[in-house]
Amino acid sequence: MGWPDVAGDTALTIKVPEADPLVRAGFPAHVTVLYPFLHESRTAGPVHRELLELFRSYDPFDLTFCEFGRYPGVLFLAPQPVDPIRALTKELTGRWPEAVPYRGLFGEGLDPHLTIANHEGPDTWERAYDALEAQCAPALPVTSRVETVHLIVRDGEQWRDHTAYRLGDGV
């Protein structure tokens, strides 16, 4: 199943460059805070100012990844703690209720996660991900300091960085 991404879609993500060497999914390591957010045409002006204010009200935090998890066809790392990510998602969806996590495809959404691989088919993913876990396990734990949340935009072909929002007062 492909995602129904269209040009102008946005997402709010936490980059985790420390985990990039482990990722086989074809995109940089990240944890999604909210996908999709608002269409790009709505993210300037008042929305931008609200996002600046919202993210400044949260202190930077550390995430540690030491456990694998799986959804059908997906191998991921579970971040700890999850509460700061969930708090951000809850506040964002409270302010913009039209931004339904994962377009409602997974009910209330998915638990915060960092996708390692999502390309195996239904007949091969368990075996393939057993091997990939064994290969990646020696690199764990991975810890990342979260100081920014990134607004990314789909340009029709790929995702690109748009705006980085600092957490806390930025000092």
Side-chain angles (χ1 to χ4, degrees):
M1 170 183 112
W3 292 104
D5 297 329
V6 297
D9 275 353
T10 64
L12 292 158
T13 66
I14 295 168
K15 292 183 179 185
V16 185
E18 297 86 352
D20 277 340
L22 304 176
V23 173
R24 307 297 192 272
F27 43 76
H30 70 280
V31 175
T32 300
V33 176
L34 182 57
Y35 160 84
F37 184 52
L38 305 176
H39 188 273
E40 180 183 20
S41 63
R42 295 186 54 203
T43 61
V47 169
H48 172 70
R49 288 188 292 279
E50 270 193 77
L51 289 171
L52 282 170
E53 176 187 308
L54 183 151
F55 291 121
R56 281 186 190 137
S57 72
Y58 285 83
D59 291 329
F61 56 95
D62 291 324
L63 289 178
T64 299
F65 302 85
C66 55
E67 292 185 19
F68 293 98
R70 296 183 186 184
Y71 297 122
V74 177
L75 176 65
F76 65 87
L77 289 170
Q80 291 297 324
V82 296
D83 290 344
I85 303 164
R86 286 184 176 146
L88 286 167
T89 303
K90 183 177 180 180
E91 186 163 352
L92 288 159
T93 57
R95 288 190 190 201
W96 293 281
E98 67 270 37
V100 177
Y102 298 98
R103 292 189 167 90
L105 293 172
F106 305 104
E108 304 257 329
L110 298 172
D111 287 333
H113 63 281
L114 187 156
T115 299
I116 297 294
N118 63 352
H119 56 276
E120 290 294 329
D123 297 329
T124 59
W125 69 273
E126 289 284 355
R127 188 172 57 257
Y129 293 162
D130 286 347
L132 188 52
E133 272 189 37
Q135 180 184 352
C136 293
L140 301 182
V142 171
T143 300
S144 184
R145 181 78 176 157
V146 178
E147 296 178 338
T148 55
V149 174
H150 297 264
L151 177 70
I152 60 174
V153 177
R154 185 78 178 177
D155 68 10
E157 298 295 319
Q158 62 188 2
W159 290 94
R160 61 176 173 77
D161 285 328
H162 187 280
T163 307
Y165 292 98
R166 291 193 61 76
L167 299 178
D169 59 15
V171 289

